[in-house]
Amino acid sequence: MSTGRVACVIGLGVAAMLVLHTGDPLASVGTGSPVWGDAGPLARAALCVIAGGSLLAAGWLHRLLFSPLEVLRGPDDVGYIAEDGRSRAQAANEVRRRRKTGELPPVYPNGWYRVTDSHRLQTGQVQSVSMLGEQVAVFRGQDGKAYVVDAYCPHLGANLAVGGQVVGNCIECPFHGWQFRGNDGKCVRIPYAEKVPEFAKVRSWPSCEVNGQILVWFHCDGGDPQWAVPEQQEITKGQWVYRGRTEHFINAHIQEIPENAADIAHIAHLHTAGITSGVDLRYTNSKTRECLRHNWKVQWEPEPEPNEHCSQMLVKHALTVFGRHWPLVDVDVVARQVGPGVVFLLVDHSFLGRGVILQCVTPVEPLLQCVSHTIFYQSNIPPLVPKFILRAECIQFERDVMIWNNKKYVSKPLLVKEDSAIQKHRRWFSQFYSDNSPRLKHRRDTLDF
């Protein structure tokens, strides 16, 4: 139960007890004058309301100052304009139905993808996750390791993640009790059978657990991992601690999201308006909100061998308030992308401290991406600082979401000389596709997954 709910329950309980109590439990304090006994029912109720409100305020303040920031958006929550009495869900469905998709690249690039966060998967726990057009079961064995296997039992198709139990380092099917080993998917026990067939198994996904996250490797041809996800030593050693995460679902092709790093021109146009201008692009550039402005200098480059699967975006940020530059909040950020699905946004500031935002893009379906931003920050910096950074990043990101959710992918864009980095990024990103990479099939202007 959350701190706020606990405070509310305590406040209501105390109020009921004191208002209904016939005696004078607080008639005096020590040998002083009466405190409670002379008060009437209305005064007692008012005091209880004040006490309950104080508890709620204390809970809210505690969450603000110390609890991690959690912002979890649904697929219809951001990026759509609900007009003419329609709900956001109705507006989103209409956009998805009518939008042209364009000539798309393959929908699932080869690479590492986040499945879940380490702290959300305890020993013996199972989670059901949708990713890459598949259902998988993620569980932590008694050895403390995380395993990822296909969710559907090959026996009669039960979902291992829905009611399945962890037995040792295996997951047990809730339907008939078949047990599958986490490291290779092999069935090791059928409770009513004399012998387990050699071919009885589920697919076990190559996985790793690093930087407080569990990731899986995907390759369309079943190939082994071609690179490792870098370990952020400050997270491993506990010098940088978890301060929150945001999660969004984007209705777009996965390539659209990392391509923003090379689209330098959009940053000045879309992200100059201050965070106080909000995320609705109809109003972000309003003249009444020009007091706060962000200024950006951005450069994107791919890395040379042996890290050709990586690229870097160098960002210099400055803030002006009523036209006056505030150098105290100038921030340099290095955004290092590793493969198609993982980005390290490293923040280094002499006053605000150091930390990293891990941006992970995981395809759920061909045109639905789950994007998470998880922040780890210096443990000796007040939590309010990284929470503010993450909230500011969330506002800027949701402006991009409004573009992505409504745009068409253009395979042959009309570019000018200053857009050269976009084409460079597309050539770099193409390395994550293979001849057999799955593509989206079209049928009468509808999507056939």
Side-chain angles (χ1 to χ4, degrees):
M1 185 180 291
S2 68
T3 305
R5 290 181 180 177
V6 171
C8 185
V9 170
I10 293 174
L12 290 175
V14 171
M17 180 187 72
L18 294 180
V19 170
L20 297 176
H21 200 284
T22 57
D24 292 331
L26 300 178
S28 62
V29 179
T31 59
S33 60
V35 174
W36 186 262
D38 294 338
L42 291 178
R44 294 184 182 187
L47 289 172
C48 291
V49 169
I50 293 172
S54 299
L55 287 171
L56 289 173
W60 174 84
L61 189 62
H62 181 273
R63 290 195 303 272
L64 176 66
L65 296 178
F66 303 108
S67 299
L69 176 67
E70 301 277 349
V71 179
L72 309 178
R73 307 292 197 203
D76 305 329
D77 288 345
V78 180
Y80 298 104
I81 299 175
E83 295 179 322
D84 302 326
R86 296 177 301 171
S87 66
R88 280 200 300 260
Q90 290 172 327
N93 288 334
E94 185 173 344
V95 169
R96 286 193 287 260
R97 185 174 65 251
R98 294 182 176 181
R99 183 179 61 172
K100 294 182 181 296
T101 57
E103 185 180 341
L104 297 172
V107 292
Y108 301 141
N110 303 322
W112 288 100
Y113 296 103
R114 169 187 169 274
V115 182
T116 189
D117 297 326
S118 297
H119 70 270
R120 299 174 60 204
L121 189 70
Q122 304 301 317
T123 300
Q125 189 175 357
V126 186
Q127 285 186 20
S128 177
V129 177
S130 300
M131 55 175 293
L132 297 160
E134 305 280 356
Q135 293 287 326
V136 298
V138 188
F139 68 96
R140 193 177 296 280
Q142 297 302 323
D143 60 358
K145 294 182 180 179
Y147 300 101
V148 183
V149 298
D150 278 355
Y152 297 115
C153 179
H155 178 214
L156 285 174
N159 192 320
L160 301 175
V162 181
Q165 301 293 318
V166 176
V167 180
N169 299 321
C170 301
I171 186 168
E172 182 181 81
C173 177
F175 202 7
H176 297 89
W178 290 32
Q179 294 179 8
F180 299 92
R181 206 158 48 202
N183 61 347
D184 59 6
K186 179 76 171 63
C187 182
V188 296
R189 182 174 184 268
I190 301 175
Y192 55 86
E194 294 182 0
K195 183 180 179 182
V196 177
E198 285 295 324
F199 53 83
K201 64 184 302 183
V202 294
R203 176 171 56 165
S204 177
W205 293 65
S207 62
C208 70
E209 189 165 7
V210 62
N211 303 325
Q213 297 182 328
I214 299 166
L215 304 99
V216 298
W217 170 263
F218 169 82
H219 194 285
C220 62
D221 299 319
D224 293 331
Q226 298 172 358
W227 66 85
V229 178
E231 181 179 21
Q232 195 71 41
Q233 291 294 327
E234 293 88 346
I235 297 176
T236 305
K237 295 177 180 178
Q239 298 169 352
W240 294 356
V241 295
Y242 174 76
R243 293 304 189 196
R245 72 182 176 102
T246 66
E247 184 175 273
H248 297 80
F249 288 89
I250 316 299
N251 289 288
H253 188 277
I254 182 175
Q255 187 173 315
E256 300 270 26
I257 298 168
E259 188 170 288
N260 256 24
D263 185 2
I264 297 171
H266 101 279
I267 296 176
H269 188 76
L270 196 64
H271 299 294
T272 292
I275 58 175
T276 55
S277 298
V279 302
D280 191 328
L281 302 184
R282 294 173 295 175
Y283 312 115
T284 51
N285 287 316
S286 171
K287 295 294 183 181
T288 61
R289 302 183 181 184
E290 286 188 342
C291 58
L292 188 69
R293 309 290 284 179
H294 301 280
N295 299 305
W296 310 91
K297 290 185 179 180
V298 181
Q299 180 182 355
W300 179 88
E301 290 290 342
E303 294 187 15
E305 294 183 359
N307 296 322
E308 62 272 16
H309 60 280
C310 300
S311 66
Q312 288 196 24
M313 179 176 70
L314 308 179
V315 181
K316 290 184 176 294
H317 167 267
L319 182 71
T320 59
V321 181
F322 293 106
R324 184 184 181 90
H325 178 215
W326 284 50
L328 184 64
V329 289
D330 286 357
V331 179
D332 291 346
V333 177
V334 177
R336 186 176 192 238
Q337 175 147 6
V338 182
V342 180
V343 180
F344 293 74
L345 293 125
L346 294 163
V347 180
D348 190 350
H349 193 275
S350 58
F351 176 71
L352 299 177
R354 301 175 64 239
V356 63
I357 298 176
L358 301 177
Q359 175 185 289
C360 297
V361 185
T362 301
V364 180
E365 297 173 355
L367 294 180
L368 181 62
Q369 318 301 322
C370 177
V371 183
S372 66
H373 292 84
T374 306
I375 190 166
F376 291 88
Y377 220 77
Q378 278 183 245
S379 58
N380 60 343
I381 296 293
L384 199 58
V385 172
K387 288 170 66 175
F388 175 79
I389 293 173
L390 184 61
R391 173 64 76 174
E393 192 278 337
C394 179
I395 292 172
Q396 295 285 10
F397 184 76
E398 289 186 357
R399 295 178 185 175
D400 289 307
V401 173
M402 194 169 187
I403 297 293
W404 289 323
N405 280 358
N406 295 275
K407 79 184 295 293
K408 166 188 173 181
Y409 180 84
V410 180
S411 59
K412 298 178 180 179
L414 176 60
L415 303 175
V416 296
K417 179 181 65 176
E418 289 77 6
D419 293 324
S420 60
I422 295 176
Q423 210 57 348
K424 193 174 182 180
H425 184 278
R426 291 192 174 188
R427 288 193 296 269
W428 172 80
F429 200 88
S430 66
Q431 67 179 297
F432 305 119
Y433 301 127
S434 302
D435 291 339
N436 295 322
S437 291
R439 290 183 176 272
L440 186 64
K441 297 179 181 179
H442 296 265
R443 184 182 63 191
R444 291 186 182 179
D445 296 327
T446 63
L447 300 182
D448 179 12
F449 297 155

